[in-house]
Amino acid sequence: MPVYKTPKSIIAPSGCCGGCGHGIIQRLIAESIEELGLQDQVIACVDIACSEWSLDCLDYDHIAGPHGRIASVATGIKKVRPDKTVYALAGDGSSYVIGWTETTYAAVRDIPITMIVVNNGIFGMTGGQMNLATTLIGDKTVSSKAGRRRETMGHPVDMLQAIKTFDVEFAARGALYDTKHIDETKRFIKKGFENQRDNKGFSIIEVLSPCPTNWKLDPVDAMEKIKNENEKVFPVGVYTDRGGNK
Amino acid sequence: MAKAKANTELCKGCRLCVRACPRHAIIPLELVNKNGYEIIEIDQELCIGCGMCYKTCPDNVFTVE
Ligand SMILES: Cc1ncc(C[n+]2csc(CCOP(=O)(O)OP(=O)(O)O)c2C)c(N)n1
Ligand code: SF4
Ligand code: SF4
Ligand code: SF4
């Protein structure tokens, strides 16, 4: 029987709400880093938003960039410290809306960083506003009170479909609604770190993650919503894997 | 056999572990920890040490060994 123990890099409880996917993602990052023996050479770049909760929680050198700019912050750090393991952890508002330019050009430049995007379908930390890229049609948010309407608010878009056309090393989407999907998400995140260790190019892993607080759902129902609704629009799996053949 | 242990001071009462345990060994309680969250208890007789609770918990409550 394998032994399951909290990774040593997790040194404090996070400030996340109960049932938030950010906590699971933090653990998967720490497990992947420790399994690869990279814990002494990490520079973590976290976005201003709920990703920032990992600042106190994970025992790595950290920098919090201006909201939305985290892919550029990580790019700069990787350029000057190519020996370091640099990861960017950000929400979907940061990565796909306000910071879509930064995400895009980190991908286009094929910077060998590991980017982890938390797709919770809203702007979490600021109280649950609609996310143009990821809020589902019909979902109620504080800025789409009667539910998102395609006619006036546009439709969700799968940004990994765009990113895969930029010739990046690896793009994949995972989910957290059961242990099978948590295991798969871990494999994607670990692969993102292996690719960086082997200097292969830009790796991005998006994770379908619940925000029970702003979805106004019980944490168990929030996981069910991801399984029954969000994953239908944002399928999990590998979008591109170049296998090191630049 | 490995068994799960819970540090319930870290628990935030989300009940995701209750949903994940294949043996229904995790009992949701009304008892709260010092942060005010309703905690859980593990029925050690039922636990098979599978680690599903560890993998599911966002707040690192579980150790399985
Ligand atoms: C330049 C700038 N614009 C806006 C904000 C306000 N702001 C802080 S967090 C946030 C939303 C974050 O949402 P997301 O990136 O999806 O992350 P989540 O909290 O959902 O994990 C916003 C708009 C800011 N801090 N800086
Ligand atoms: S607001 Fe949402 S994303 Fe932020 S910590 Fe709470 S549940 Fe998580
Ligand atoms: S180890 Fe498995 S059986 Fe035991 S409490 Fe956790 S999920 Fe249930
Ligand atoms: S998953 Fe963790 S935080 Fe949630 S109820 Fe279970 S022990 Fe508590």
Side-chain angles (χ1 to χ4, degrees):
Chain A
M1 270 283 179
V3 166
Y4 297 96
K5 260 195 181 138
T6 304
K8 289 197 178 66
S9 316
I10 297 181
I11 52 169
S14 88
C16 293
C17 313
C20 175
H22 274 282
I24 302 174
I25 294 167
Q26 285 167 19
R27 194 190 72 241
L28 300 181
I29 291 171
E31 286 177 354
S32 302
I33 286 173
E34 290 185 16
E35 285 168 21
L36 296 170
L38 301 169
Q39 60 274 14
D40 295 329
Q41 59 184 69
V42 172
I43 301 180
C45 306
V46 296
D47 187 68
I48 298 293
C50 291
S51 302
E52 193 190 320
W53 290 118
S54 71
L55 273 172
D56 300 329
C57 181
L58 294 176
D59 191 17
Y60 306 131
D61 286 342
H62 269 84
I63 183 164
H67 178 55
R69 314 297 163 227
I70 207 65
S72 295
V73 172
T75 296
I77 291 174
K78 189 69 183 177
K79 290 270 180 193
V80 294
R81 296 302 303 269
D83 54 315
K84 293 285 182 181
T85 300
V86 180
Y87 75 80
L89 174 63
D92 47 355
S94 165
S95 310
Y96 294 160
V97 184
I98 185 171
W100 177 229
T101 312
E102 283 72 9
T103 304
T104 298
Y105 286 102
V108 168
R109 295 164 88 187
D110 203 17
I111 308 293
I113 55 170
T114 309
M115 181 157 184
I116 296 139
V117 178
V118 182
N119 176 348
N120 58 17
I122 38 105
F123 289 74
M125 186 167 262
T126 42
Q129 293 77 13
M130 185 181 82
N131 182 309
L132 282 170
T134 59
T135 300
L136 304 187
I137 299 293
D139 275 6
K140 294 190 173 83
T141 71
V142 294
S143 54
S144 60
K145 283 203 157 47
R148 182 173 187 173
R149 289 184 61 214
R150 180 183 292 268
E151 300 71 32
T152 51
M153 302 170 198
H155 56 84
V157 273
D158 189 337
M159 292 304 196
L160 293 184
Q161 293 286 4
I163 290 169
K164 78 173 191 195
T165 67
F166 302 153
D167 189 22
V168 298
E169 177 60 31
F170 184 67
R173 178 179 291 117
L176 305 172
Y177 61 75
D178 60 22
T179 50
K180 177 171 153 256
H181 285 87
I182 292 171
D183 286 345
E184 182 183 59
T185 302
K186 160 96 176 275
R187 285 197 296 278
F188 294 157
I189 291 176
K190 193 169 171 183
K191 185 162 175 62
F193 283 110
E194 285 165 347
N195 289 343
Q196 176 167 186
R197 178 196 62 195
D198 302 338
N199 203 28
K200 282 182 174 171
F202 184 77
S203 297
I204 184 164
I205 299 94
E206 183 197 301
V207 186
L208 300 178
S209 177
C211 173
T213 301
N214 289 305
W215 294 2
K216 300 185 174 39
L217 289 176
D218 173 79
V220 169
D221 294 339
M223 289 295 189
E224 291 295 325
K225 171 179 159 36
I226 294 179
K227 179 166 94 183
N228 298 326
E229 299 174 25
N230 299 63
E231 194 193 351
K232 303 269 178 342
V233 179
F234 295 113
V236 300
V238 175
Y239 283 69
T240 189
D241 182 0
R242 201 168 52 191
N245 302 312
K246 280 190 201 178
Chain B
M1 193 203 285
K3 295 277 179 183
K5 274 191 317 210
N7 175 4
T8 53
E9 283 310 313
L10 298 174
C11 177
K12 289 185 187 155
C14 70
R15 312 308 205 197
L16 292 175
C17 56
V18 177
R19 170 180 179 265
C21 176
R23 298 281 295 152
H24 306 289
I26 302 178
I27 307 149
L29 304 178
E30 284 178 11
L31 188 71
V32 296
N33 61 17
K34 68 172 186 296
N35 295 322
Y37 293 109
E38 291 184 346
I39 60 172
I40 51 89
E41 182 179 66
I42 304 163
D43 183 333
Q44 293 292 333
E45 292 290 302
L46 291 175
C47 176
I48 53 166
C50 67
M52 300 300 156
C53 49
Y54 166 90
K55 291 180 182 182
T56 307
C57 178
D59 289 285
N60 306 301
V61 166
F62 296 96
T63 305
V64 183
E65 59 187 344

